[in-house]
Amino acid sequence: MTYEEATRYLLTLGKELSAPRQPASVAQAQKFGLGNIRVLAEALGQPQRAYPCAHIAGTNGKGSTAAMLDSILRAAGLHTGLYTSPHLERINERIRLDGENVSDADFAAAFARLAAAIESGIASGALAAHPTYFECLTAMAFDCFAQHAVDFGVFEVGMGGRLDATNLVVPEVAIITQIDFDHENYLGHSVEEIAGEKAGIIKPGAWVVSAAERPEARAVIARRCAEMDARLVEIDTVYRIEEVRGESGCYRAVVSGAHSSRKIALELPLPGRFQVRNAATAVAAARLLAERGFPVSDEDIARGIASVRWPGRLERLAERPAVYLDGTHNPAGARELVRFWEENFAGRRIFLVYGAVRDKAVDEIAGLLFPRATRVLLTAPQQPRAISAPLLAEMAGHLASDFEIIADPAQALARALVLAQPDDAVFVTGSLYLVGDLRASWNGRHLPVPASPPA
């Protein structure tokens, strides 16, 4: 099995919210349940039990927090595996060993083992339906980390938590980041319902770090911890974040215990004030791991935070004009982006390249972002669930003072670069799929400049 054959096969399964073609009732059952992943894990020899791990759920911040915790553990000298989703450019990004994408050869080998497990499961009847794209990749991550004998695995939930394929793990620490509205059609239409799905990663006797701010979410998490006899560490109760200072969009802060003089000075390379809270969450998790006997010092924590990298989230590609990629795709993320503009781009023109996928709160997100942009370039990510640029204009064009429809993302970014002056800023946002498309175009410099652009 070659890498190309493996990736081609996986893509036939669709993406995160897709399922192989089969009756809707079967697809629904297999998408939202742990039955398939249990069968795959059993066939692969329960690889997720071969190493300790952390499990991270939340609406926003879970990917950044996962990357920070992984970086901290590597700074402490541990051999780590990191599983996140979605990817931006290459599928290998989802499975990382010691901070590097898994090699094509290791990816292909993991898929070959998975394919054998699927064939066996279908033949025996243990698998009622073919596993989804996400279930396959999760099983591959479990297995790959075991094959490479990692010291520690960090797993980001794909969506929700309770029925997510990653929820087979029994972690040393469970982490819940901010909780807000997203994926309501799948997780529920209230904060309480969404929090209940996220809190589903809390298992009996777990040690839990929560960064949830909304009172109703905090209440749900606290109740779940009480039911599971789990230890709960709320960062707003146990930690203080002080001396927050920003420079060029990045921040420094001091995190200290609410009832102790123990402090860690943090310097964050990831832009955005919200990353300070994510960093404090990673600090809390790392300290719990140290308490459980893992060799993590405060110096390791500071070094790990200072060296973390997390592309596609307020990622700056250029200056004069400033060019940023940001995967904002829900209202909470849009509010943070607006705050970033207010703190760093007040009085400057912003050209916004925006594309979105279905099932997102486009009206609310556009209502926050579009009025603040000098011009909005409406486009569509190269993804089956994308909203077409003309339909996006019908839905939200009225919220912009000025907009253009440019269906091709690379053309839209090229147009924004033509419009922007050196002191202006260009932001690409609305979908991580769009960010991935344009990050690849930027890195390959496949950015056509439109001929005779409209005024």
Side-chain angles (χ1 to χ4, degrees), residues 56 60-71 74 82-88 93-96 99 101 154 156-157 269-271 274-275 278 304-316 325-327 329 432 435 439:
I56 306 177
N60 289 328
K62 64 183 186 293
S64 297
T65 304
M68 289 178 188
L69 182 57
D70 176 72
S71 187
R74 286 187 285 113
L82 173 64
Y83 178 60
T84 60
S85 60
H87 61 274
L88 297 179
E93 296 167 26
R94 296 173 180 244
I95 303 173
R96 303 185 194 189
N101 299 346
V154 178
E156 178 196 7
V157 165
L270 304 182
F274 59 91
Q275 294 291 8
N278 292 334
I305 295 292
S307 61
V308 69
R309 298 291 178 268
W310 193 233
R313 285 72 170 181
L314 278 177
E315 180 183 9
R316 185 171 59 201
L325 302 179
D326 186 53
H329 57 274
L432 280 167
V435 165
R439 193 171 193 270

Side-chain angles (χ1 to χ4, degrees), residues 121-319:
I122 291 175
S124 69
L127 286 172
H130 195 291
T132 64
Y133 177 85
F134 187 74
E135 287 169 340
C136 287
L137 286 165
T138 301
M140 287 171 63
F142 289 165
D143 181 52
C144 190
F145 295 166
Q147 293 289 328
H148 286 267
V150 300
D151 298 322
F152 202 95
V154 178
F155 291 93
E156 178 196 7
V157 165
M159 183 180 70
R162 182 174 63 92
L163 298 178
D164 190 79
T166 60
N167 204 25
L168 210 59
V169 301
V170 179
E172 296 290 323
V173 60
I175 303 164
I176 300 177
T177 62
Q178 293 278 35
I179 292 178
D180 216 303
F181 290 99
D182 199 7
H183 298 299
E184 291 97 319
N185 289 340
Y186 300 93
L187 304 180
H189 293 273
S190 70
V191 169
E192 291 89 346
E193 288 178 306
I194 294 169
E197 293 298 319
K198 310 290 186 186
I201 71 168
I202 300 170
K203 299 177 176 67
W207 288 22
V208 181
V209 172
S210 173
E213 287 186 282
R214 285 178 173 265
E216 57 270 47
R218 291 177 69 177
V220 169
I221 293 167
R223 184 165 60 249
R224 172 71 175 182
C225 285
E227 292 168 354
M228 294 290 105
D229 194 25
R231 175 184 175 185
L232 175 61
V233 173
E234 292 186 300
I235 65 167
D236 290 316
T237 301
V238 178
Y239 288 95
R240 289 194 305 265
I241 301 173
E242 304 169 314
E243 301 178 39
V244 178
R245 302 185 303 280
E247 183 178 345
S248 300
C250 294
Y251 289 82
R252 297 181 180 185
V254 174
V255 175
S256 61
H259 307 292
S260 76
S261 59
R262 188 178 170 195
K263 298 182 177 182
I264 301 180
L266 302 177
E267 186 171 341
L268 284 77
L270 304 182
R273 184 180 289 269
F274 59 91
Q275 294 291 8
V276 176
R277 188 174 185 84
N278 292 334
T281 307
V283 169
R287 281 184 164 173
L288 284 186
L289 291 176
E291 195 176 329
R292 300 200 81 148
F294 292 90
V296 181
S297 68
D298 284 358
E299 291 74 20
D300 297 328
I301 293 172
R303 281 202 317 276
I305 295 292
S307 61
V308 69
R309 298 291 178 268
W310 193 233
R313 285 72 170 181
L314 278 177
E315 180 183 9
R316 185 171 59 201
L317 299 181
E319 291 287 359

Side-chain angles (χ1 to χ4, degrees), residues 399-410:
L399 297 168
S401 60
D402 192 11
F403 73 89
E404 297 178 30
I405 299 171
I406 305 177
D408 180 77

